Amino acid sequence: QVQVVESGGGLVQPGGSLRLSCTSSGFRLNDYAIGWFRQAPGKEREIVSCISSTLPDTYYTDSVKGRFTISRDKFLNTVSLQMNSLKPDDTAVYYCAANLMRSRCPTGWESQLQHEYSYWGQGTQVTVSS
């Protein structure tokens, strides 16, 4: 069974940190570009970050640059998203997804395309609030 699972969400205060993890079964995350997406209440799902199977290629949406870091543990076949200096606007359900069309992250406007990501996790809730 092909499966993607996110974990690590929770409730944090503004300025706090969380580390999200993405794991897989039935395929290897190491082989594909892996994206983190989020969907806030009342908003469309958006790309947050992407990491290529070939480092150091990464992508971050402007709102998280300098605060979030995406990384791989190739031995464990996992992808993590370290989120620091969290803001209330970061509150959302966060999803991990595998891009089956690419081993490198899309760049420019193509980074916004979601149809290329074929395997999606169930999402993990991140809430930033006092």
Side-chain angles (χ1 to χ4, degrees), residues 7-11 18-20 124-127:
S7 62
L11 173 65
L18 283 174
R19 186 176 182 87
L20 306 183
T124 185
Q125 177 71 49
V126 172
T127 302

mmCIF file of all heavy atoms in Angstrom, residues 7-11 18-20 124-127:
data_model
loop_
_atom_site.group_PDB
_atom_site.id
_atom_site.type_symbol
_atom_site.label_atom_id
_atom_site.label_comp_id
_atom_site.label_asym_id
_atom_site.label_seq_id
_atom_site.Cartn_x
_atom_site.Cartn_y
_atom_site.Cartn_z
ATOM 1 N N SER A 7 3.444 13.912 10.636
ATOM 2 C CA SER A 7 3.310 13.960 12.078
ATOM 3 C C SER A 7 4.041 15.186 12.603
ATOM 4 O O SER A 7 4.838 15.791 11.891
ATOM 5 C CB SER A 7 3.854 12.687 12.734
ATOM 6 O OG SER A 7 5.238 12.540 12.484
ATOM 7 N N GLY A 8 3.774 15.545 13.848
ATOM 8 C CA GLY A 8 4.489 16.620 14.506
ATOM 9 C C GLY A 8 3.715 17.897 14.715
ATOM 10 O O GLY A 8 4.232 18.838 15.324
ATOM 11 N N GLY A 9 2.491 17.956 14.230
ATOM 12 C CA GLY A 9 1.694 19.148 14.425
ATOM 13 C C GLY A 9 1.272 19.308 15.872
ATOM 14 O O GLY A 9 1.434 18.411 16.704
ATOM 15 N N GLY A 10 0.729 20.472 16.177
ATOM 16 C CA GLY A 10 0.282 20.744 17.524
ATOM 17 C C GLY A 10 -0.005 22.204 17.730
ATOM 18 O O GLY A 10 -0.073 22.988 16.778
ATOM 19 N N LEU A 11 -0.179 22.572 18.983
ATOM 20 C CA LEU A 11 -0.467 23.943 19.383
ATOM 21 C C LEU A 11 0.791 24.579 19.955
ATOM 22 O O LEU A 11 1.410 24.023 20.870
ATOM 23 C CB LEU A 11 -1.581 23.964 20.430
ATOM 24 C CG LEU A 11 -1.904 25.306 21.075
ATOM 25 C CD1 LEU A 11 -2.450 26.278 20.038
ATOM 26 C CD2 LEU A 11 -2.894 25.114 22.211
ATOM 27 N N LEU A 18 7.978 24.190 15.753
ATOM 28 C CA LEU A 18 7.517 22.828 15.575
ATOM 29 C C LEU A 18 8.346 22.181 14.481
ATOM 30 O O LEU A 18 8.841 22.869 13.587
ATOM 31 C CB LEU A 18 6.046 22.767 15.178
ATOM 32 C CG LEU A 18 4.984 22.995 16.246
ATOM 33 C CD1 LEU A 18 3.607 23.028 15.593
ATOM 34 C CD2 LEU A 18 5.035 21.904 17.304
ATOM 35 N N ARG A 19 8.467 20.874 14.564
ATOM 36 C CA ARG A 19 9.143 20.113 13.520
ATOM 37 C C ARG A 19 8.175 19.060 12.999
ATOM 38 O O ARG A 19 7.750 18.174 13.751
ATOM 39 C CB ARG A 19 10.414 19.455 14.046
ATOM 40 C CG ARG A 19 11.245 18.762 12.965
ATOM 41 C CD ARG A 19 12.539 18.209 13.537
ATOM 42 N NE ARG A 19 13.383 17.585 12.527
ATOM 43 C CZ ARG A 19 14.265 18.217 11.781
ATOM 44 N NH1 ARG A 19 14.444 19.532 11.937
ATOM 45 N NH2 ARG A 19 14.990 17.568 10.883
ATOM 46 N N LEU A 20 7.829 19.165 11.730
ATOM 47 C CA LEU A 20 6.956 18.201 11.084
ATOM 48 C C LEU A 20 7.793 17.142 10.387
ATOM 49 O O LEU A 20 8.863 17.437 9.847
ATOM 50 C CB LEU A 20 6.052 18.883 10.062
ATOM 51 C CG LEU A 20 5.210 20.062 10.554
ATOM 52 C CD1 LEU A 20 4.329 20.567 9.423
ATOM 53 C CD2 LEU A 20 4.378 19.670 11.762
ATOM 54 N N THR A 124 -1.555 17.234 9.023
ATOM 55 C CA THR A 124 -1.358 17.395 10.456
ATOM 56 C C THR A 124 -1.639 18.851 10.811
ATOM 57 O O THR A 124 -1.197 19.771 10.123
ATOM 58 C CB THR A 124 0.058 16.963 10.889
ATOM 59 O OG1 THR A 124 0.175 17.034 12.313
ATOM 60 C CG2 THR A 124 1.135 17.832 10.249
ATOM 61 N N GLN A 125 -2.388 19.061 11.877
ATOM 62 C CA GLN A 125 -2.834 20.397 12.254
ATOM 63 C C GLN A 125 -1.742 21.149 12.995
ATOM 64 O O GLN A 125 -1.164 20.643 13.964
ATOM 65 C CB GLN A 125 -4.085 20.317 13.131
ATOM 66 C CG GLN A 125 -4.588 21.661 13.642
ATOM 67 C CD GLN A 125 -5.193 22.514 12.544
ATOM 68 O OE1 GLN A 125 -6.033 22.031 11.779
ATOM 69 N NE2 GLN A 125 -4.765 23.769 12.459
ATOM 70 N N VAL A 126 -1.474 22.364 12.545
ATOM 71 C CA VAL A 126 -0.582 23.288 13.236
ATOM 72 C C VAL A 126 -1.402 24.502 13.638
ATOM 73 O O VAL A 126 -2.015 25.154 12.789
ATOM 74 C CB VAL A 126 0.600 23.714 12.350
ATOM 75 C CG1 VAL A 126 1.404 24.829 13.019
ATOM 76 C CG2 VAL A 126 1.484 22.521 12.047
ATOM 77 N N THR A 127 -1.425 24.794 14.924
ATOM 78 C CA THR A 127 -2.157 25.943 15.436
ATOM 79 C C THR A 127 -1.200 26.830 16.212
ATOM 80 O O THR A 127 -0.550 26.373 17.153
ATOM 81 C CB THR A 127 -3.314 25.508 16.343
ATOM 82 O OG1 THR A 127 -4.202 24.652 15.616
ATOM 83 C CG2 THR A 127 -4.087 26.724 16.842
#
